[in-house]
Structure formats: C-alpha cells, structure tokens
Amino acid sequence: MNWKEMDFFPVMGENLTVENTHKLDFSPANKSLEKIDLNDTTSFNEYVFGQLKLASKKYGFGGYLEKRAIYRRSEVFATNESDFRNIHLGIDLWCEAGSPVYCPWEGRVHSFQDNCGFGNYGPTIILEHNIEGEKLFSLYGHLFRSDLENLTPGQAIKKGEILCHVGPFPENGDWPPHLHFQLMRDLLGNSGDFPGVASERDLDSLSKICPDPNLILRFGHH
C-alpha cells in the first residue's frame, strides 16, 4: 500500500508535531530510570509527566523497536533471560487520562477485551481495516474499561470517529496514562490481544508483521 498518499485522521485528534511532542527514552541508556521505583506507578507517573512539564509538551512519544528497561517491573514480560520480552513493537503516546482517541481510517471492530494484570494492556481494542485491498489491524491499549461497554465485533467505525480514551491507572494495566498504538498485518490467531513487546528471538518475525506505526501517526520526529 502507498502509505504516503493515504489521508489518515490524526489518532489524537490533532497532528503530532515538534511543537507538541517530546521523545521519551525508556532504553537502558537512560540512567535516570534507575533512580525511579518503576514498580510504584505513582512514582513512574510523576517521572513521565515531570518530563513533559519540563519540556512544555502535551504528548510524550516513542518506542517503536526501542529496547526498553521498564519491562522488568512486570512478570507479564518475563520468560527466561535469553527470551525476555523488552523490544517495543508499537508507539506510545503519553498524555493525560481521558484524552480522546480517534479512528485513523474506516474499519470494523475485530475484537476487544480487558487484558487485566499489573503491567498488561488493560482495556484493549483491535480494529480491522481494508486499505487499498490490503488487510491491516490497529491496536489501542491502556484504555478506560467503559470504552469496551458498547462495542460489538464487526461494528463499523468511521474515520475520524472517537473510538476510545486514554485510561487512568490502575485500570489501564497500571501504567502512567498513555495510548499504546500498534499496527499488525496478521493477528496470528489472537483476539483482543497481541504481543506489544518482542524478545530478541522473535523480533525479526514480529517486526515484519508489525510495521512502523508512524506510517499512520506521521509525527514530526523519526
């Protein structure tokens, strides 16, 4: 599909630009993370929104194929050390809880569920799109539980329609408020859930299935 010619609606309702976004670094290179108790979501939240306040920006962003230090806070990601899942397959948009999230392209509800548990997705919606004859899925994680209440599989969602909202902790999987936005060419049999983080072992295959979400988000950083 020719992404550059597609007119996607802004997922956050406004274009993401250098003026309103700040890149957040959650890689092991960011030594300031070592000073935070990542298991304490309130402390983690203060760090994230403190960074945005210092930068005078509305949105924190980043994470596609970023190797991250923050997943050791949750056993959701822990297998054995050689297979530890710590490479992010989506893009995170950190912003205030309650921020509306819009459908970027007409589609249908594929599935949804509350992936509850500390460090998990929390309430999650997956849409199915047809873009120039190709099937593409988009995933929205860390939402309000109430966003799932009136959905039905197969329900049509219009481009530009409010789909959901950035959820608060702890119901969003107990994270500082943010939207996890991810694209998938194949759900690999999943419903209401899909790996958002890969291990080194699985990265090659999963990164081919999960293209860069900035193809749709198109914010002013790369």
Side-chain angles (χ1 to χ4, degrees), residues 96-139:
E96 294 293 339
S99 299
V101 176
Y102 297 79
C103 181
W105 193 259
E106 65 182 41
R108 295 187 177 277
V109 175
H110 174 275
S111 51
F112 54 92
Q113 68 183 26
D114 187 356
N115 296 292
C116 56
F118 182 77
N120 210 330
Y121 273 139
T124 308
I125 298 171
I126 297 176
L127 298 183
E128 180 177 334
H129 310 273
N130 185 309
I131 302 180
E132 294 189 330
E134 292 187 45
K135 187 177 290 187
L136 183 73
F137 300 92
S138 58
L139 181 148

mmCIF file of all heavy atoms in Angstrom, residues 96-139:
data_model
loop_
_atom_site.group_PDB
_atom_site.id
_atom_site.type_symbol
_atom_site.label_atom_id
_atom_site.label_comp_id
_atom_site.label_asym_id
_atom_site.label_seq_id
_atom_site.Cartn_x
_atom_site.Cartn_y
_atom_site.Cartn_z
ATOM 1 N N GLU A 96 -2.514 12.973 29.136
ATOM 2 C CA GLU A 96 -3.436 12.936 30.266
ATOM 3 C C GLU A 96 -4.534 11.896 30.067
ATOM 4 O O GLU A 96 -5.061 11.716 28.963
ATOM 5 C CB GLU A 96 -4.078 14.313 30.458
ATOM 6 C CG GLU A 96 -3.097 15.397 30.886
ATOM 7 C CD GLU A 96 -2.534 15.184 32.286
ATOM 8 O OE1 GLU A 96 -3.163 14.446 33.080
ATOM 9 O OE2 GLU A 96 -1.476 15.756 32.585
ATOM 10 N N ALA A 97 -4.879 11.210 31.147
ATOM 11 C CA ALA A 97 -6.004 10.265 31.119
ATOM 12 C C ALA A 97 -7.269 11.011 30.705
ATOM 13 O O ALA A 97 -7.486 12.160 31.097
ATOM 14 C CB ALA A 97 -6.189 9.620 32.488
ATOM 15 N N GLY A 98 -8.075 10.355 29.907
ATOM 16 C CA GLY A 98 -9.297 10.962 29.406
ATOM 17 C C GLY A 98 -9.154 11.549 28.022
ATOM 18 O O GLY A 98 -10.158 11.906 27.388
ATOM 19 N N SER A 99 -7.913 11.648 27.522
ATOM 20 C CA SER A 99 -7.700 12.188 26.169
ATOM 21 C C SER A 99 -8.398 11.285 25.154
ATOM 22 O O SER A 99 -8.214 10.063 25.173
ATOM 23 C CB SER A 99 -6.207 12.252 25.850
ATOM 24 O OG SER A 99 -5.529 13.098 26.747
ATOM 25 N N PRO A 100 -9.204 11.855 24.248
ATOM 26 C CA PRO A 100 -9.905 11.036 23.260
ATOM 27 C C PRO A 100 -8.963 10.500 22.195
ATOM 28 O O PRO A 100 -7.965 11.133 21.848
ATOM 29 C CB PRO A 100 -10.935 12.001 22.652
ATOM 30 C CG PRO A 100 -10.357 13.364 22.873
ATOM 31 C CD PRO A 100 -9.561 13.285 24.141
ATOM 32 N N VAL A 101 -9.297 9.306 21.709
ATOM 33 C CA VAL A 101 -8.521 8.635 20.667
ATOM 34 C C VAL A 101 -9.450 8.411 19.477
ATOM 35 O O VAL A 101 -10.574 7.911 19.648
ATOM 36 C CB VAL A 101 -7.958 7.290 21.176
ATOM 37 C CG1 VAL A 101 -7.226 6.554 20.062
ATOM 38 C CG2 VAL A 101 -7.044 7.519 22.383
ATOM 39 N N TYR A 102 -8.990 8.767 18.290
ATOM 40 C CA TYR A 102 -9.829 8.758 17.092
ATOM 41 C C TYR A 102 -9.415 7.644 16.133
ATOM 42 O O TYR A 102 -8.243 7.265 16.069
ATOM 43 C CB TYR A 102 -9.730 10.103 16.373
ATOM 44 C CG TYR A 102 -10.236 11.274 17.186
ATOM 45 C CD1 TYR A 102 -9.439 11.838 18.179
ATOM 46 C CD2 TYR A 102 -11.501 11.808 16.978
ATOM 47 C CE1 TYR A 102 -9.895 12.912 18.935
ATOM 48 C CE2 TYR A 102 -11.968 12.884 17.724
ATOM 49 C CZ TYR A 102 -11.161 13.429 18.700
ATOM 50 O OH TYR A 102 -11.605 14.486 19.452
ATOM 51 N N CYS A 103 -10.378 7.173 15.378
ATOM 52 C CA CYS A 103 -10.128 6.133 14.388
ATOM 53 C C CYS A 103 -9.428 6.755 13.171
ATOM 54 O O CYS A 103 -9.954 7.680 12.559
ATOM 55 C CB CYS A 103 -11.445 5.498 13.970
ATOM 56 S SG CYS A 103 -11.275 4.174 12.751
ATOM 57 N N PRO A 104 -8.233 6.262 12.793
ATOM 58 C CA PRO A 104 -7.487 6.900 11.713
ATOM 59 C C PRO A 104 -7.991 6.581 10.311
ATOM 60 O O PRO A 104 -7.702 7.306 9.356
ATOM 61 C CB PRO A 104 -6.067 6.353 11.897
ATOM 62 C CG PRO A 104 -6.280 5.010 12.529
ATOM 63 C CD PRO A 104 -7.471 5.175 13.430
ATOM 64 N N TRP A 105 -8.752 5.483 10.184
ATOM 65 C CA TRP A 105 -9.203 5.036 8.866
ATOM 66 C C TRP A 105 -10.436 4.170 9.091
ATOM 67 O O TRP A 105 -10.509 3.449 10.073
ATOM 68 C CB TRP A 105 -8.115 4.221 8.175
ATOM 69 C CG TRP A 105 -8.347 3.966 6.715
ATOM 70 C CD1 TRP A 105 -8.828 2.813 6.163
ATOM 71 C CD2 TRP A 105 -8.118 4.865 5.633
ATOM 72 N NE1 TRP A 105 -8.909 2.933 4.797
ATOM 73 C CE2 TRP A 105 -8.474 4.198 4.443
ATOM 74 C CE3 TRP A 105 -7.644 6.181 5.548
ATOM 75 C CZ2 TRP A 105 -8.378 4.794 3.188
ATOM 76 C CZ3 TRP A 105 -7.545 6.767 4.306
ATOM 77 C CH2 TRP A 105 -7.899 6.084 3.137
ATOM 78 N N GLU A 106 -11.404 4.264 8.223
ATOM 79 C CA GLU A 106 -12.620 3.478 8.436
ATOM 80 C C GLU A 106 -12.283 1.998 8.610
ATOM 81 O O GLU A 106 -11.359 1.469 7.996
ATOM 82 C CB GLU A 106 -13.583 3.660 7.266
ATOM 83 C CG GLU A 106 -13.077 3.135 5.936
ATOM 84 C CD GLU A 106 -14.072 3.397 4.814
ATOM 85 O OE1 GLU A 106 -14.665 4.490 4.777
ATOM 86 O OE2 GLU A 106 -14.238 2.496 3.975
ATOM 87 N N GLY A 107 -13.013 1.365 9.502
ATOM 88 C CA GLY A 107 -12.744 -0.032 9.791
ATOM 89 C C GLY A 107 -13.878 -0.651 10.571
ATOM 90 O O GLY A 107 -14.969 -0.081 10.704
ATOM 91 N N ARG A 108 -13.598 -1.823 11.091
ATOM 92 C CA ARG A 108 -14.564 -2.543 11.903
ATOM 93 C C ARG A 108 -13.889 -3.062 13.172
ATOM 94 O O ARG A 108 -12.688 -3.319 13.179
ATOM 95 C CB ARG A 108 -15.165 -3.719 11.125
ATOM 96 C CG ARG A 108 -15.995 -3.279 9.931
ATOM 97 C CD ARG A 108 -16.728 -4.442 9.260
ATOM 98 N NE ARG A 108 -17.562 -3.948 8.162
ATOM 99 C CZ ARG A 108 -18.776 -3.450 8.301
ATOM 100 N NH1 ARG A 108 -19.318 -3.383 9.506
ATOM 101 N NH2 ARG A 108 -19.458 -3.015 7.252
ATOM 102 N N VAL A 109 -14.692 -3.203 14.211
ATOM 103 C CA VAL A 109 -14.166 -3.775 15.448
ATOM 104 C C VAL A 109 -13.868 -5.249 15.208
ATOM 105 O O VAL A 109 -14.764 -6.019 14.870
ATOM 106 C CB VAL A 109 -15.169 -3.612 16.605
ATOM 107 C CG1 VAL A 109 -14.661 -4.323 17.852
ATOM 108 C CG2 VAL A 109 -15.433 -2.132 16.884
ATOM 109 N N HIS A 110 -12.613 -5.613 15.338
ATOM 110 C CA HIS A 110 -12.258 -7.036 15.240
ATOM 111 C C HIS A 110 -12.509 -7.722 16.567
ATOM 112 O O HIS A 110 -13.193 -8.741 16.641
ATOM 113 C CB HIS A 110 -10.791 -7.197 14.840
ATOM 114 C CG HIS A 110 -10.327 -8.624 14.850
ATOM 115 N ND1 HIS A 110 -9.869 -9.260 15.996
ATOM 116 C CD2 HIS A 110 -10.297 -9.562 13.867
ATOM 117 C CE1 HIS A 110 -9.556 -10.509 15.702
ATOM 118 N NE2 HIS A 110 -9.808 -10.720 14.415
ATOM 119 N N SER A 111 -11.978 -7.144 17.652
ATOM 120 C CA SER A 111 -12.089 -7.767 18.969
ATOM 121 C C SER A 111 -11.680 -6.761 20.037
ATOM 122 O O SER A 111 -11.084 -5.724 19.743
ATOM 123 C CB SER A 111 -11.205 -9.023 19.047
ATOM 124 O OG SER A 111 -9.884 -8.734 18.612
ATOM 125 N N PHE A 112 -12.003 -7.099 21.269
ATOM 126 C CA PHE A 112 -11.647 -6.233 22.398
ATOM 127 C C PHE A 112 -11.719 -7.059 23.662
ATOM 128 O O PHE A 112 -12.458 -8.042 23.736
ATOM 129 C CB PHE A 112 -12.594 -5.023 22.487
ATOM 130 C CG PHE A 112 -14.055 -5.386 22.524
ATOM 131 C CD1 PHE A 112 -14.712 -5.571 23.730
ATOM 132 C CD2 PHE A 112 -14.769 -5.561 21.346
ATOM 133 C CE1 PHE A 112 -16.058 -5.911 23.763
ATOM 134 C CE2 PHE A 112 -16.113 -5.900 21.359
ATOM 135 C CZ PHE A 112 -16.763 -6.078 22.570
ATOM 136 N N GLN A 113 -10.946 -6.681 24.669
ATOM 137 C CA GLN A 113 -11.030 -7.330 25.979
ATOM 138 C C GLN A 113 -10.216 -6.530 26.980
ATOM 139 O O GLN A 113 -9.390 -5.695 26.607
ATOM 140 C CB GLN A 113 -10.549 -8.772 25.937
ATOM 141 C CG GLN A 113 -9.075 -8.974 25.690
ATOM 142 C CD GLN A 113 -8.704 -10.450 25.600
ATOM 143 O OE1 GLN A 113 -9.523 -11.301 25.257
ATOM 144 N NE2 GLN A 113 -7.463 -10.768 25.897
ATOM 145 N N ASP A 114 -10.461 -6.794 28.242
ATOM 146 C CA ASP A 114 -9.686 -6.170 29.309
ATOM 147 C C ASP A 114 -8.549 -7.127 29.662
ATOM 148 O O ASP A 114 -8.757 -8.152 30.303
ATOM 149 C CB ASP A 114 -10.575 -5.913 30.526
ATOM 150 C CG ASP A 114 -9.852 -5.116 31.612
ATOM 151 O OD1 ASP A 114 -8.647 -4.845 31.441
ATOM 152 O OD2 ASP A 114 -10.486 -4.780 32.618
ATOM 153 N N ASN A 115 -7.352 -6.791 29.185
ATOM 154 C CA ASN A 115 -6.169 -7.589 29.496
ATOM 155 C C ASN A 115 -5.628 -7.125 30.847
ATOM 156 O O ASN A 115 -4.641 -6.396 30.927
ATOM 157 C CB ASN A 115 -5.127 -7.424 28.391
ATOM 158 C CG ASN A 115 -5.621 -7.965 27.057
ATOM 159 O OD1 ASN A 115 -5.796 -9.163 26.894
ATOM 160 N ND2 ASN A 115 -5.883 -7.072 26.116
ATOM 161 N N CYS A 116 -6.330 -7.530 31.890
ATOM 162 C CA CYS A 116 -6.029 -7.014 33.226
ATOM 163 C C CYS A 116 -4.762 -7.660 33.777
ATOM 164 O O CYS A 116 -4.308 -8.699 33.311
ATOM 165 C CB CYS A 116 -7.203 -7.222 34.159
ATOM 166 S SG CYS A 116 -7.754 -8.923 34.294
ATOM 167 N N GLY A 117 -4.218 -7.026 34.780
ATOM 168 C CA GLY A 117 -2.996 -7.505 35.408
ATOM 169 C C GLY A 117 -1.934 -6.428 35.369
ATOM 170 O O GLY A 117 -1.840 -5.645 34.415
ATOM 171 N N PHE A 118 -1.120 -6.381 36.404
ATOM 172 C CA PHE A 118 -0.098 -5.345 36.538
ATOM 173 C C PHE A 118 0.867 -5.394 35.351
ATOM 174 O O PHE A 118 1.488 -6.421 35.082
ATOM 175 C CB PHE A 118 0.676 -5.533 37.842
ATOM 176 C CG PHE A 118 1.729 -4.485 38.080
ATOM 177 C CD1 PHE A 118 1.374 -3.218 38.512
ATOM 178 C CD2 PHE A 118 3.069 -4.762 37.876
ATOM 179 C CE1 PHE A 118 2.335 -2.245 38.740
ATOM 180 C CE2 PHE A 118 4.043 -3.794 38.097
ATOM 181 C CZ PHE A 118 3.666 -2.539 38.534
ATOM 182 N N GLY A 119 0.970 -4.280 34.626
ATOM 183 C CA GLY A 119 1.894 -4.205 33.505
ATOM 184 C C GLY A 119 1.337 -4.698 32.189
ATOM 185 O O GLY A 119 2.038 -4.668 31.176
ATOM 186 N N ASN A 120 0.082 -5.144 32.171
ATOM 187 C CA ASN A 120 -0.523 -5.628 30.931
ATOM 188 C C ASN A 120 -1.165 -4.443 30.186
ATOM 189 O O ASN A 120 -1.042 -3.296 30.584
ATOM 190 C CB ASN A 120 -1.539 -6.730 31.243
ATOM 191 C CG ASN A 120 -1.667 -7.741 30.120
ATOM 192 O OD1 ASN A 120 -1.474 -7.429 28.953
ATOM 193 N ND2 ASN A 120 -2.011 -8.968 30.485
ATOM 194 N N TYR A 121 -1.896 -4.758 29.103
ATOM 195 C CA TYR A 121 -2.530 -3.721 28.282
ATOM 196 C C TYR A 121 -3.722 -3.053 28.951
ATOM 197 O O TYR A 121 -4.128 -1.966 28.554
ATOM 198 C CB TYR A 121 -3.096 -4.348 27.006
ATOM 199 C CG TYR A 121 -2.178 -4.478 25.834
ATOM 200 C CD1 TYR A 121 -2.200 -5.627 25.065
ATOM 201 C CD2 TYR A 121 -1.332 -3.449 25.444
ATOM 202 C CE1 TYR A 121 -1.399 -5.774 23.950
ATOM 203 C CE2 TYR A 121 -0.527 -3.587 24.331
ATOM 204 C CZ TYR A 121 -0.560 -4.755 23.594
ATOM 205 O OH TYR A 121 0.228 -4.892 22.488
ATOM 206 N N GLY A 122 -4.353 -3.752 29.929
ATOM 207 C CA GLY A 122 -5.633 -3.255 30.390
ATOM 208 C C GLY A 122 -6.644 -3.335 29.255
ATOM 209 O O GLY A 122 -6.513 -4.143 28.323
ATOM 210 N N PRO A 123 -7.683 -2.479 29.270
ATOM 211 C CA PRO A 123 -8.689 -2.493 28.204
ATOM 212 C C PRO A 123 -8.047 -2.228 26.838
ATOM 213 O O PRO A 123 -7.269 -1.287 26.678
ATOM 214 C CB PRO A 123 -9.646 -1.369 28.609
ATOM 215 C CG PRO A 123 -9.488 -1.266 30.102
ATOM 216 C CD PRO A 123 -8.041 -1.525 30.348
ATOM 217 N N THR A 124 -8.402 -3.072 25.877
ATOM 218 C CA THR A 124 -7.743 -3.074 24.571
ATOM 219 C C THR A 124 -8.773 -3.237 23.465
ATOM 220 O O THR A 124 -9.699 -4.049 23.598
ATOM 221 C CB THR A 124 -6.731 -4.239 24.496
ATOM 222 O OG1 THR A 124 -5.856 -4.188 25.618
ATOM 223 C CG2 THR A 124 -5.928 -4.207 23.206
ATOM 224 N N ILE A 125 -8.599 -2.496 22.372
ATOM 225 C CA ILE A 125 -9.468 -2.623 21.200
ATOM 226 C C ILE A 125 -8.592 -2.892 19.974
ATOM 227 O O ILE A 125 -7.543 -2.258 19.796
ATOM 228 C CB ILE A 125 -10.287 -1.339 20.966
ATOM 229 C CG1 ILE A 125 -11.203 -1.057 22.162
ATOM 230 C CG2 ILE A 125 -11.111 -1.446 19.678
ATOM 231 C CD1 ILE A 125 -11.890 0.309 22.096
ATOM 232 N N ILE A 126 -9.027 -3.820 19.128
ATOM 233 C CA ILE A 126 -8.361 -4.077 17.851
ATOM 234 C C ILE A 126 -9.363 -3.818 16.726
ATOM 235 O O ILE A 126 -10.467 -4.366 16.734
ATOM 236 C CB ILE A 126 -7.827 -5.511 17.757
ATOM 237 C CG1 ILE A 126 -6.746 -5.746 18.830
ATOM 238 C CG2 ILE A 126 -7.250 -5.790 16.361
ATOM 239 C CD1 ILE A 126 -6.211 -7.166 18.876
ATOM 240 N N LEU A 127 -8.968 -2.962 15.785
ATOM 241 C CA LEU A 127 -9.779 -2.680 14.601
ATOM 242 C C LEU A 127 -9.193 -3.388 13.387
ATOM 243 O O LEU A 127 -7.980 -3.595 13.298
ATOM 244 C CB LEU A 127 -9.831 -1.180 14.317
ATOM 245 C CG LEU A 127 -10.445 -0.266 15.370
ATOM 246 C CD1 LEU A 127 -10.471 1.176 14.853
ATOM 247 C CD2 LEU A 127 -11.842 -0.708 15.755
ATOM 248 N N GLU A 128 -10.072 -3.735 12.455
ATOM 249 C CA GLU A 128 -9.649 -4.308 11.177
ATOM 250 C C GLU A 128 -9.966 -3.296 10.075
ATOM 251 O O GLU A 128 -11.079 -2.788 9.992
ATOM 252 C CB GLU A 128 -10.380 -5.620 10.915
ATOM 253 C CG GLU A 128 -10.008 -6.284 9.607
ATOM 254 C CD GLU A 128 -10.706 -7.619 9.416
ATOM 255 O OE1 GLU A 128 -11.063 -8.261 10.428
ATOM 256 O OE2 GLU A 128 -10.906 -8.022 8.251
ATOM 257 N N HIS A 129 -8.972 -3.011 9.238
ATOM 258 C CA HIS A 129 -9.121 -2.048 8.156
ATOM 259 C C HIS A 129 -8.837 -2.719 6.816
ATOM 260 O O HIS A 129 -8.072 -3.680 6.742
ATOM 261 C CB HIS A 129 -8.136 -0.878 8.319
ATOM 262 C CG HIS A 129 -8.129 -0.256 9.673
ATOM 263 N ND1 HIS A 129 -8.989 0.754 10.041
ATOM 264 C CD2 HIS A 129 -7.351 -0.504 10.763
ATOM 265 C CE1 HIS A 129 -8.748 1.114 11.294
ATOM 266 N NE2 HIS A 129 -7.752 0.362 11.751
ATOM 267 N N ASN A 130 -9.426 -2.152 5.784
ATOM 268 C CA ASN A 130 -9.076 -2.531 4.422
ATOM 269 C C ASN A 130 -8.513 -1.289 3.745
ATOM 270 O O ASN A 130 -9.212 -0.304 3.548
ATOM 271 C CB ASN A 130 -10.305 -3.048 3.667
ATOM 272 C CG ASN A 130 -9.963 -3.566 2.284
ATOM 273 O OD1 ASN A 130 -9.317 -2.887 1.502
ATOM 274 N ND2 ASN A 130 -10.410 -4.776 1.975
ATOM 275 N N ILE A 131 -7.226 -1.327 3.450
ATOM 276 C CA ILE A 131 -6.556 -0.170 2.865
ATOM 277 C C ILE A 131 -6.020 -0.573 1.501
ATOM 278 O O ILE A 131 -5.082 -1.366 1.403
ATOM 279 C CB ILE A 131 -5.426 0.346 3.774
ATOM 280 C CG1 ILE A 131 -5.989 0.714 5.163
ATOM 281 C CG2 ILE A 131 -4.741 1.552 3.149
ATOM 282 C CD1 ILE A 131 -4.965 1.242 6.134
ATOM 283 N N GLU A 132 -6.657 -0.064 0.470
ATOM 284 C CA GLU A 132 -6.286 -0.370 -0.907
ATOM 285 C C GLU A 132 -6.199 -1.876 -1.139
ATOM 286 O O GLU A 132 -5.260 -2.378 -1.756
ATOM 287 C CB GLU A 132 -4.955 0.313 -1.268
ATOM 288 C CG GLU A 132 -5.034 1.829 -1.288
ATOM 289 C CD GLU A 132 -3.776 2.465 -1.849
ATOM 290 O OE1 GLU A 132 -2.683 1.891 -1.705
ATOM 291 O OE2 GLU A 132 -3.890 3.544 -2.445
ATOM 292 N N GLY A 133 -7.200 -2.585 -0.616
ATOM 293 C CA GLY A 133 -7.280 -4.021 -0.836
ATOM 294 C C GLY A 133 -6.444 -4.868 0.104
ATOM 295 O O GLY A 133 -6.483 -6.097 0.040
ATOM 296 N N GLU A 134 -5.689 -4.231 0.994
ATOM 297 C CA GLU A 134 -4.867 -4.970 1.949
ATOM 298 C C GLU A 134 -5.473 -4.873 3.346
ATOM 299 O O GLU A 134 -5.930 -3.822 3.769
ATOM 300 C CB GLU A 134 -3.440 -4.417 1.977
ATOM 301 C CG GLU A 134 -2.656 -4.667 0.699
ATOM 302 C CD GLU A 134 -1.196 -4.261 0.850
ATOM 303 O OE1 GLU A 134 -0.586 -4.607 1.885
ATOM 304 O OE2 GLU A 134 -0.680 -3.601 -0.060
ATOM 305 N N LYS A 135 -5.432 -5.985 4.057
ATOM 306 C CA LYS A 135 -5.955 -6.015 5.423
ATOM 307 C C LYS A 135 -4.886 -5.510 6.391
ATOM 308 O O LYS A 135 -3.712 -5.871 6.310
ATOM 309 C CB LYS A 135 -6.365 -7.446 5.785
ATOM 310 C CG LYS A 135 -7.090 -7.565 7.120
ATOM 311 C CD LYS A 135 -7.537 -9.001 7.377
ATOM 312 C CE LYS A 135 -8.654 -9.423 6.452
ATOM 313 N NZ LYS A 135 -9.195 -10.759 6.836
ATOM 314 N N LEU A 136 -5.313 -4.644 7.301
ATOM 315 C CA LEU A 136 -4.419 -4.120 8.327
ATOM 316 C C LEU A 136 -5.206 -4.015 9.627
ATOM 317 O O LEU A 136 -6.370 -3.610 9.625
ATOM 318 C CB LEU A 136 -3.885 -2.744 7.931
ATOM 319 C CG LEU A 136 -2.880 -2.116 8.900
ATOM 320 C CD1 LEU A 136 -1.525 -2.818 8.806
ATOM 321 C CD2 LEU A 136 -2.696 -0.614 8.620
ATOM 322 N N PHE A 137 -4.563 -4.360 10.727
ATOM 323 C CA PHE A 137 -5.182 -4.265 12.045
ATOM 324 C C PHE A 137 -4.488 -3.162 12.844
ATOM 325 O O PHE A 137 -3.272 -2.979 12.745
ATOM 326 C CB PHE A 137 -5.051 -5.589 12.800
ATOM 327 C CG PHE A 137 -5.696 -6.748 12.098
ATOM 328 C CD1 PHE A 137 -4.963 -7.550 11.233
ATOM 329 C CD2 PHE A 137 -7.042 -7.038 12.294
ATOM 330 C CE1 PHE A 137 -5.550 -8.615 10.580
ATOM 331 C CE2 PHE A 137 -7.647 -8.104 11.639
ATOM 332 C CZ PHE A 137 -6.894 -8.895 10.778
ATOM 333 N N SER A 138 -5.278 -2.417 13.617
ATOM 334 C CA SER A 138 -4.708 -1.422 14.529
ATOM 335 C C SER A 138 -5.152 -1.735 15.950
ATOM 336 O O SER A 138 -6.298 -2.114 16.181
ATOM 337 C CB SER A 138 -5.113 0.002 14.128
ATOM 338 O OG SER A 138 -6.519 0.158 14.102
ATOM 339 N N LEU A 139 -4.220 -1.613 16.888
ATOM 340 C CA LEU A 139 -4.479 -1.949 18.290
ATOM 341 C C LEU A 139 -4.338 -0.705 19.151
ATOM 342 O O LEU A 139 -3.419 0.100 18.957
ATOM 343 C CB LEU A 139 -3.499 -3.032 18.751
ATOM 344 C CG LEU A 139 -3.639 -3.525 20.199
ATOM 345 C CD1 LEU A 139 -3.234 -5.006 20.303
ATOM 346 C CD2 LEU A 139 -2.790 -2.707 21.183
#
